[in-house]
Amino acid sequence: MLFRQLFDPETSTYTYLIANRDKEAILVDPVQEQVERDVNLLDELGLTLCYCLETHIHADHVTGTGQLRELTGCQGIVPEHAEAACADRLIRDGEVLDLGEVNVRAIATPGHTDSHMAYLVNKDRILTGDSLLIRGCGRTDFQSGDAGTLYDHVVQRLFTLPETTLVYPGHDYKGQTVSSIGEEKRFNPRFVGQGRDAFIQLMGALNLPDPKKVAEAVPANQQCGQAAAVGP
């Protein structure tokens, strides 16, 4: 399996490139401003992009799925219940996306938004999107977010994975690239020693500013990035 972690410095977003031995590829959470980079890398590695897979409808960047679909003919996939009628298909909780020896299982992890998926890749690494970050978690104060729902799904669905499972988040703002379920259970200050009620109180007191691109990103991402699309 080919596995690459790619970074957008403006929004601190990680995009993940996964491919099998037949050079069939998936991009998870592509960023519009990085489409040229991603297409060049696909060409250099001789990969055929089959799917662009979203963890959720993003509020901090515009997805590159619309442009990548036009350029490569790939399918755009979003979590079920997401407001994105433009998607080629929806992925359900528990559904497995198979590419030969590569399999990606969707695990519903709402709370950051009301339609969020994490993706377990070959049972040894989890792409957590914004549900679980390295020593943190996604905010829950807009896009139908709910702190109690996030707590339940992280604790009951992610923290029950084997502790050796590698955690690859959707963002990092401190230069960290990978963690593990065991590390996050021991060291993540949002969860360690916090019961559900304390977590809800903590999240409600964050008082975070809106993402810079929220007014542009959410409606554009509901159209798979096409509403704001420009040439790569």
Side-chain angles (χ1 to χ4, degrees):
M1 178 178 69
L2 180 147
F3 184 86
R4 296 287 175 86
Q5 183 183 50
L6 307 169
F7 188 64
D8 174 58
E10 182 182 359
T11 61
S12 299
T13 298
Y14 286 125
T15 296
Y16 295 94
L17 173 64
I18 308 163
N20 63 17
R21 64 171 62 96
D22 293 326
K23 297 187 177 295
E24 298 169 317
I26 302 170
L27 272 172
V28 181
D29 289 343
V31 176
Q32 187 182 74
E33 286 80 4
Q34 300 296 340
V35 165
E36 184 175 4
R37 174 203 68 189
D38 296 345
V39 169
N40 287 343
L41 183 58
L42 290 164
D43 288 343
E44 288 172 351
L45 299 179
L47 302 177
T48 298
L49 184 62
C50 297
Y51 305 111
C52 281
L53 185 60
E54 305 285 359
T55 55
H56 62 294
I57 301 299
H58 308 277
D60 54 2
H61 70 271
V62 177
T63 179
T65 291
Q67 291 185 55
L68 287 161
R69 187 165 58 181
E70 292 176 3
L71 292 168
T72 69
C74 70
Q75 288 191 333
I77 306 177
V78 302
E80 63 176 342
H81 309 309
E83 294 184 19
C86 59
D88 295 294
R89 55 187 280 198
L90 305 177
I91 191 165
R92 302 181 305 277
D93 179 38
E95 186 174 348
V96 176
L97 196 61
D98 277 315
L99 277 183
E101 75 278 9
V102 175
N103 64 83
V104 179
R105 180 165 68 91
I107 300 176
T109 49
H112 171 64
T113 69
D114 59 0
S115 55
H116 189 291
M117 291 287 182
Y119 297 111
L120 184 64
V121 182
N122 281 9
K123 298 182 180 181
D124 67 358
R125 65 198 69 193
I126 183 85
L127 311 184
T128 54
D130 288 30
S131 59
L132 180 65
L133 305 178
I134 297 175
R135 311 301 191 263
C137 64
R139 62 194 295 172
T140 59
D141 57 336
F142 64 92
Q143 282 187 278
S144 301
D146 183 85
T149 298
L150 180 62
Y151 181 88
D152 293 341
H153 283 82
V154 170
V155 170
Q156 297 172 15
R157 306 214 65 191
L158 299 185
F159 283 176
T160 54
L161 293 170
E163 293 199 349
T164 54
T165 306
L166 297 175
V167 171
Y168 286 94
H171 300 277
D172 189 81
Y173 306 96
K174 298 180 180 179
Q176 300 189 81
T177 58
V178 62
S179 180
S180 71
I181 291 296
E183 279 187 40
E184 295 311 309
K185 288 169 68 174
R186 289 190 294 273
F187 305 124
N188 192 313
R190 296 278 175 89
F191 296 95
V192 174
Q194 303 278 13
R196 190 177 191 272
D197 291 343
F199 178 83
I200 292 170
Q201 184 176 1
L202 182 155
M203 296 302 291
L206 291 179
N207 194 29
L208 298 171
D210 286 345
K212 293 179 182 179
K213 292 188 175 184
V214 62
E216 169 193 1
V218 172
N221 290 331
Q222 290 172 340
Q223 297 298 322
C224 299
Q226 294 173 329
V230 296

